[in-house]
């Protein structure tokens, strides 16, 4: 400590670096500002409301879908969704099946979980894009369908 009872700037900076490296960046906000002359100057700023950000990849699409599903009471797990996506489309959100019986009738299966248009329309979840190729909309609609038909996407182990 410095002679006046304050923590030295070097020590404060070292502590802040350690906390940041340890992944506790929020704790850094609680450290007093160097050179602060009043209590209000050292008060942390209010954090913004909890806005979630999702990566634009399979992991992010599944996580965002799970959040939408939770808000709408649709059961399912990350593993159940992932397993079915890998079987149905290998993770390609633009996948389309132009060779099965559905395609022969003019309604090919589309997207990550290979949903046909009538099923997508019937099980679309408000708050997601109205596009069967949209990864989050496709996953959420398919999980909504699977929940209605099988209890959960987790109970689907083959084409559905």
């Amino acid at each position: 400590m410095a002679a006046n009872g304050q923590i030295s700037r070097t020590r404060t900076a070292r502590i802040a670096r350690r906390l940041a490296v340890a992944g506790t960046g929020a704790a850094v906000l609680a450290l007093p500002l160097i050179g602060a002359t009043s209590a209000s100057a050292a008060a942390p700023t209010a954090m913004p409301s909890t806005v979630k950000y999702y990566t634009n990849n399979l992991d992010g699409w599944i996580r965002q879908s799970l959040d939408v599903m939770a808000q709408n009471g649709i059961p399912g797990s990350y593993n159940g969704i992932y397993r079915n996506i890998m079987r149905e489309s290998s993770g390609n959100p633009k996948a389309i099946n132009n060779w099965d019986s559905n395609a022969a009738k003019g309604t090919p299966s589309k997207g990550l979980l290979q949903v046909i248009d009538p099923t997508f329309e019937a099980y679309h979840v408000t708050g997601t894009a109205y596009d069967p190729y949209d990864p989050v909309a496709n996953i959420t609609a398919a999980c909504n369908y699977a929940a209605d038909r099988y209890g959960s996407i987790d109970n689907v182990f083959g084409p559905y």
Side-chain angles (χ1 to χ4, degrees):
M1 278 202 181
N4 63 3
Q6 297 288 324
I7 298 175
S8 71
R9 287 178 186 229
T10 305
R11 186 163 183 229
T12 301
R14 197 173 334 135
I15 292 169
R17 274 193 304 276
R18 283 185 187 157
L19 289 171
V21 168
T24 56
V28 174
L29 294 174
L31 291 173
L33 296 173
I34 297 171
T37 57
S38 71
S40 64
T45 318
M47 296 299 290
S49 63
T50 56
V51 175
K52 288 191 175 183
Y53 295 95
Y54 305 93
T55 55
N56 189 24
N57 60 24
L58 184 56
D59 179 69
W61 303 328
I62 293 172
R63 292 182 189 285
Q64 186 174 357
S65 294
L66 284 167
D67 284 346
V68 173
M69 291 163 57
Q71 294 168 5
N72 289 278
I74 302 168
S77 70
Y78 187 102
N79 290 338
I81 294 169
Y82 182 84
R83 172 176 35 84
N84 282 283
I85 286 173
M86 290 293 99
R87 184 191 63 254
E88 295 291 337
S89 69
S90 299
N92 178 2
K94 299 296 182 190
I96 184 166
N97 181 331
N98 285 315
W99 57 86
D100 70 359
S101 61
N102 287 319
K105 295 175 190 172
T107 55
S109 303
K110 301 175 182 176
L112 289 170
L113 283 167
Q114 294 293 282
V115 179
I116 60 173
D117 287 339
T119 301
F120 180 82
E121 291 165 7
Y123 290 93
H124 173 260
V125 176
T126 304
T128 65
Y130 200 81
D131 176 2
Y133 288 108
D134 178 84
V136 174
N138 186 279
I139 293 168
T140 309
C143 288
N144 195 18
Y145 166 76
D148 185 47
R149 179 128 181 178
Y150 306 103
S152 171
I153 191 75
D154 297 336
N155 299 329
V156 177
F157 291 93
Y160 56 106

